Amino acid sequence: EVNLAESGGDSVQAGGSLRISCAGSGDTSGRFCMAWFRQAPGHQREGVATFGRDGSTRYADSVKGRFTVFKDNAGNTLHLQMNSLKVEDSAMYYCASRYCAPNGNFNWHNQYNWEYWGQGTQVTVSS
């Protein structure tokens, strides 16, 4: 069992920066991948960034060059550093996790491929 708890959501001005975090508990064996998703009202949940068990990272095209996903040294907390925020980045941000096989490959953008979810943290960007 894995439990995820997001924090750090806030209201910021466009062009500003924000860091949100996801504290994980339960299985800390390092066998799990983690990801950030977001969902705005009236929109489907979309993958923002993923952090693989080997430390690899991938991003949605809409956030490349602006967002950075990383873990703390202990490896239990996933962070998303968001810079140059846009109004369209406003959404509820969710942390997700799943077991990942070594060298495994799957469509990380698909929310249904993830097993564990946090409750979300709200990010609002105003113009």
Side-chain angles (χ1 to χ4, degrees):
E1 183 70 24
V2 173
N3 295 301
L4 304 171
E6 302 92 338
S7 63
D10 205 347
S11 297
V12 297
Q13 294 277 332
S17 298
L18 189 67
R19 180 180 297 181
I20 58 177
S21 301
C22 172
S25 61
D27 190 321
T28 58
S29 64
R31 302 178 301 162
F32 283 69
C33 300
M34 297 182 75
W36 286 101
F37 280 75
R38 66 186 181 187
Q39 187 169 19
H43 293 261
Q44 289 194 345
R45 192 170 295 190
E46 63 171 347
V48 175
T50 184
F51 192 98
R53 61 180 286 173
D54 61 354
S56 60
T57 58
R58 286 178 283 181
Y59 298 90
D61 288 343
S62 59
V63 305
K64 280 181 182 176
R66 300 188 298 122
F67 290 12
T68 303
V69 62
F70 61 99
K71 277 191 173 183
D72 64 357
N73 289 336
N76 295 332
T77 301
L78 186 72
H79 304 280
L80 185 68
Q81 177 67 40
M82 302 181 289
N83 298 327
S84 302
L85 281 161
K86 303 177 181 180
V87 172
E88 52 264 40
D89 293 321
S90 298
M92 184 71 78
Y93 282 71
Y94 297 91
C95 180
S97 182
R98 58 165 281 168
Y99 168 77
C100 281
N103 301 316
N105 193 22
F106 66 100
N107 179 6
W108 72 270
H109 293 275
N110 186 338
Q111 61 173 313
Y112 299 106
N113 288 334
W114 294 85
E115 183 173 4
Y116 302 101
W117 292 88
Q119 294 299 308
T121 187
Q122 179 68 41
V123 173
T124 302
V125 185
S126 58
S127 59

